[in-house]
């Protein structure tokens, strides 16, 4: 084989490898937040206006307490908490302040969960992982 062709082939292989390594940043997504027992997770909307924040707290038996703050709104947006590819969790709601609501429920399993906020046409979802 001609040395020029070999050098050209080697150059193409090296540039291809460099291009593959440079594109890894586009292929890797941001990791999901993980919440463990006796820890909290703060989520804040970027789509809903005015913004809404939700704090999830887990106890030792996967009992979850959600505190939703919705300043600047008359009513809270709809909140749905469900396991990935599962039915929504039943939450017991109680109003704690004029712009704050609290709910509690029992998580059915560890793994990937999704919290969805919707207010009319605006909808935002947060995925997270519940650790064993």
């Amino acid at each position: 084989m001609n040395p020029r062709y070999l050098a050209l082939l080697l150059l193409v292989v090296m540039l291809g490898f460099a291009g593959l390594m440079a594109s890894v940043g586009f292929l890797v997504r941001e990791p999901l937040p993980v919440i463990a027992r006796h820890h909290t997770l703060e989520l804040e909307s970027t789509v809903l206006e005015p913004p809404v924040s939700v704090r999830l707290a887990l106890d030792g038996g996967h009992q979850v307490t959600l505190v939703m703050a919705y300043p600047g709104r008359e009513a809270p947006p709809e909140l749905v908490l469900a396991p990935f590819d599962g039915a929504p969790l039943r939450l017991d709601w109680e109003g704690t302040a004029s712009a704050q609501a609290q709910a509690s429920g029992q998580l059915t399993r560890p793994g990937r969960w999704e919290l969805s906020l919707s207010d009319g046409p605006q909808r935002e979802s947060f995925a997270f992982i519940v650790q064993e």
Side-chain angles (χ1 to χ4, degrees), residues 1 5 20 22-23 27 36 51 55 61 63 66 73-76 78 84 87 93 97 112 126 131:
M1 187 170 195
Y5 292 129
L20 178 68
S23 68
L27 301 174
R55 186 181 76 230
Q63 177 77 20
L66 298 116
R73 296 175 173 269
E74 292 182 18
E78 182 181 344
F84 185 69
W93 286 97
R112 184 174 173 170
F126 302 96
Q131 198 174 41

Side-chain angles (χ1 to χ4, degrees), residues 93-111:
W93 286 97
E94 57 185 65
T96 57
S98 62
Q100 192 172 6
Q102 183 172 334
S104 61
Q106 180 67 42
L107 298 181
T108 54
R109 62 177 174 85

Side-chain angles (χ1 to χ4, degrees), residues 17 23 27 31 45 47 62 83-84 86 105-106 115-116:
F17 181 72
S23 68
L27 301 174
S45 72
V47 174
H62 288 294
F84 185 69
Q106 180 67 42
L115 183 135
S116 299

Side-chain angles (χ1 to χ4, degrees), residues 12-35:
V12 168
V13 168
M14 287 181 2
L15 287 176
F17 181 72
L20 178 68
M21 288 291 116
S23 68
V24 167
F26 297 114
L27 301 174
V28 176
R29 294 182 291 168
E30 189 172 320
L32 295 177
V34 177
I35 184 170

Side-chain angles (χ1 to χ4, degrees), residues 54 56-57 62-68 77-82 87-94 101-107 113-117:
V54 179
L56 287 95
H62 288 294
Q63 177 77 20
V64 66
T65 302
L66 298 116
V67 177
M68 178 170 46
E78 182 181 344
L79 184 144
V80 176
L81 181 62
L89 187 68
R90 186 180 155 300
L91 297 171
D92 298 322
W93 286 97
E94 57 185 65
Q102 183 172 334
S104 61
Q106 180 67 42
L107 298 181
W113 285 75
E114 185 172 87
L115 183 135
S116 299
L117 295 170

